[in-house]
Amino acid sequence: QVQLVESGGGLVQSGGSLRVSCVASGEMVGRQHMAWFRQAPGQEREFVGAINWNGGRAYYADSVKGRFTISRDNAANTMYLEMKSLKPEDTAIYHCAGSSTPLISTDVSTYEWWGQGTQVTVSS
C-alpha cells in the first residue's frame, strides 16, 4: 500500500546542483521521520540525511553537511533533497526511506519503507 517514488536524478557536472524528490502514497503507519540514503556500485547503502516529519529538524552526514538540504511539503507528502556543490563521490542511487522509530537513525535496518531510488551521476 505504501509507495515511495523518487525522481529528479540525472547527470550533473562537478560543482553543479540538483534536486531530487520523493513522493509518498499510502499511509506509513506511525511514520516519524524520513531519510535519504545513497548507494554506489559495490558499496553499502549510506546515510545522507533525515528529517523529523512533524518538527522538521534535519540531520546530515558529515560528508554532505553544508551542501545538501532536506525539506518537505507535508500537504504533498513530498520530501526533497537539494544538492549543491556536487562532487563525483556523490554519484550514487539515491533512495528515500521512512521510519517509525522514535529517534532519527543512520542505520538502514531501522527504516521500514523504501523507494527504488533515482540515479545521480556527477561528472568532471
Side-chain angles (χ1 to χ4, degrees), residues 10-63:
L11 176 65
V12 62
Q13 296 291 321
S14 181
S17 300
L18 197 66
R19 186 179 74 166
V20 294
S21 304
C22 172
V23 179
S25 61
E27 183 179 3
M28 289 176 277
V29 179
R31 185 268 308 274
Q32 297 196 36
H33 55 271
M34 300 288 291
W36 288 98
F37 288 80
R38 64 188 183 185
Q39 187 166 23
Q43 304 297 312
E44 294 184 3
R45 195 161 294 186
E46 174 191 25
F47 175 80
V48 175
I51 187 166
N52 178 276
W53 202 253
N54 292 323
R57 292 180 299 163
Y59 301 86
Y60 302 94
D62 288 343
S63 59

